[in-house]
Amino acid sequence: AKKEKTSARRAKQDLASCKNLLSCLECHEHAWPFLLPVNTKQFPQYKKAIKTPMDLSTIKRKLQEGSYKHKGEFASDVRLIFSNCEEFNEDYSPVGRAGHCMRQYFEQQWAQM
Ligand SMILES: Cc1ncccc1N[C@@H](C)c1cnc2ccsc2c1
């Protein structure tokens, strides 16, 4: 029973840390391209090019719904945002640069979790 308690407590702490890190990502100056799902009416080729779209609002919903069993799954979805971004956007485009900047910020914060 003791072992279960500590792992339940750690899971709770991990969830809180993921929610906190998500908030930091959402209010980052360069988060604007990633806040909501890419509008495929505005970017019709996006639907064909990107097999698994991901964005910060979707991650927020998944956190709230308890969809992540382990914090590593949360990190995979965040990284999916940035790999989708690299696939679709030129490195030196405004969105491409924002993606590189946000990925660097995320990995720095993640390493300290
Ligand atoms: C992350 C991403 N990848 C590919 C395409 C779009 C986006 N982001 C959207 C929000 C976006 C990104 N940039 C602009 C510029 C004018 S509307 C708009 C909307």
Side-chain angles (χ1 to χ4, degrees), residues 32-39 42-43 46 50 54 81 84-85 88-89 94-95:
W32 58 271
F34 314 109
L35 294 173
L36 294 172
V38 175
N39 182 329
Q42 201 177 1
F43 298 90
Y46 196 82
I50 301 299
M54 188 48 64
I81 293 175
N84 288 345
C85 183
F88 195 85
N89 302 282
V95 176

Side-chain angles (χ1 to χ4, degrees), residues 15 19 60-69 73:
L15 180 64
K19 284 181 175 173
K60 186 173 201 164
R61 178 179 53 73
K62 288 177 77 171
L63 271 173
Q64 283 159 347
E65 289 170 353
S67 304
Y68 299 122
K69 293 296 155 248
E73 294 170 16

